[in-house]
Amino acid sequence: MQGDMALLEVRSVEFDFEKNNAAHHTRGVSSRSPILRRGQPFTITLHLNRTFQERSDTLDLIAETGPSPSEASGTRAVFRVSGPPVKSSWSAAVQNSSSSSVTLSVTSPANASIGKYSLKIQTAKGTPQTSALGEFILLFNPWCAVDSVFLANEDERQEYVMNEHGFVYQGTSEHIEATPWDFGQFEADIVHICLELLEVSPKHRKNPGLDCSRRSDPTYVGRVVSAMVNCVDDRGIINGRWDGMYYDGVSPSRWNGSVDILRRWFSCGCQPVSYGQCWVFAAVMCTVMRCLGIPTRPVTNYDSAHDTDGNLTIDEFYTLRYGMKVKESNDSMWNFHVWVESWMTRPDLPAGYDGWQVLDPTPQEKSEGVHCCGPAPVKAILEGDTDLKYDVAFVFAEVNADKVCWVVKPDGTMIRDSSDIKTIGKNISTKAVGSTEREDITHLYKYPEGSVKERAVFKKAIQRGSRILKNMLEHSDSYQITKGVQLNFVQETHAVSGKEIAVTLVMFNNSETPKSLTLNLNAQVMLYTGRPACQIWSRRVTTKIGPNTETEFPVSIAYSQYGRVLRHNNTVKLTAIAVEDGGSRETSFTEKNVMVSSPELLLEVSGDPVQYQPMMAEVTFFNPLLEPLTDCTMSLTGSGLLFKTIDTCVGTLGPQLRVRLQIPFTPTKTGSRMLTVGFNSDQFCDIKAYTSVTINPPK
């Protein structure tokens, strides 16, 4: 008789971790704990004290997240097994049953908050009894068509969510360098570290319930992560530094990947890790966002403007006597700047702004009182819709500002030499899907430079912007004086550290009269942020040039002049100012940033590429100098190949000698993997090399 039937009890539960995680594309994270994606069913098997009678037994499941879960906030859901489906709600149905077990298919809504959940069961017959079934982690789901981060293309999902390796692009617009980076978002402990990042944010500390409720929205989560990757306002991950003084931390360019940084932050009680710069901030944010399930890619903007006063103009000042760049403005033009794009819908904006959104964790300016940036729709940047949130005007300036060069006379007066509408925002780059090639996405941010459409968008951006921008409207066109003498630096061969820098200054007199000139030449080491580091070379010469005549002046800078002061990502800025002798005193100006590449580092792997089978990495480096390299070290990184970075001390490497180092490793994951090595010494810093290897499963 049903009335005599024993009270239904759950004796044990199976989450079937491996099957569920494989279906939810999280198998690479863990096979021993449930890590699930919202909007997609998962199965659990309940082992009972008797047969489950679907018509008469009533079971309620309870899913909760956050410290004070509530149904009103969406952080607590009570739902009946085989109950009527409710749109955008949790649901559960019997998949199959036997004499003493029942397998349930449980589905979370596609707009559920992400985070750590507890799952409980409540029997509703007689006196309700609640039993804990276990915990699981819920992530965003780019495979779910109704999730706000849905990405339709599977190749793009594999690249922007699943790929644990990639590149950040550095160098200059004329010499782009692909730096390998190990994102490592599926390393075993990273998902827990990323959730801890949300837990220690000021938003969560201020109102935990509201914060957990708002974690359903990738726009909100993106802003929180953008703020928490830097440590300016909170217990964020990375301490930024740009002055080259890294003695109490790690040089930003020494990092090979995100995992070491995240683990160090977590193991030190969520204290900032020193140090990072823009590509480190962006790469770590890429790791966090991919880990949470939001499609994300690092993006590099070359000749990137940092427009502090919001007038869409970057002013640069050079001394007349020496041609030296001087700091007269808070504005700057960075050789490159790296941010991330994340894919999401924007229901908070008018239609048309879904898709890629710029998020920038580098602490530059405040957004609503916090050092974060975005999400700014790339479409809004392209169209000049600078009044839309978040921070579209700031990112628009990074890729569209005009550059104005001034020559400063000895008495302090200034000559406006030129205004250039085409310099800023070049070769905007990200890794191509499914390959190691670079993809140029400049066309997604701006129309062709100087085109009618581009200038119309520029003026539209000003009209939609602040009062300062509107006052600049009359100056938004290019300004260039026609000079009697034109200057241009020409570089025939690329500069390599350890060798001299060879450049030619070409001068052309396009007038009908001869010219007597005083030529002021200067070379400075520049930080990649556009700030002068130090002067390394200068010349002051007089010369004559005939009418309609071209002449050349060779410039060579020895390694002894730049080697001790040039560090990773620094460039050598060459400037030339020609002053016409006589009455006119007309000036002509030109500049060139010279990227000096590091010597070659070689990395090869050998052995059978099979999971859990030993392999060998071989690193080779040749010292090209006529002096020894001191304090040489190598570091090897690779998610799925190494559990942690392997650091090896090499010591001193004599002049013109080669070092060959063999490092054993055992891969733990299958699939395409990237191994990255970094070489460092007192003379050469942060030289990188990488190799890709496909690891097969055991037979």
Side-chain angles (χ1 to χ4, degrees), residues 102 182 247 401 493 505-506:
V102 59
D182 187 88
Y247 305 112
T493 58
L505 176 66
V506 179

Side-chain angles (χ1 to χ4, degrees), residues 45 126 239 308 475:
T45 299
N239 184 16
T308 58
H475 303 298

Side-chain angles (χ1 to χ4, degrees), residues 181-200:
W181 192 269
D182 187 88
F183 298 110
Q185 68 269 24
F186 295 143
E187 290 295 281
D189 51 346
I190 295 302
V191 67
H192 302 285
I193 296 174
C194 292
L195 293 178
E196 182 66 15
L197 181 71
L198 302 181
E199 294 292 302
V200 301

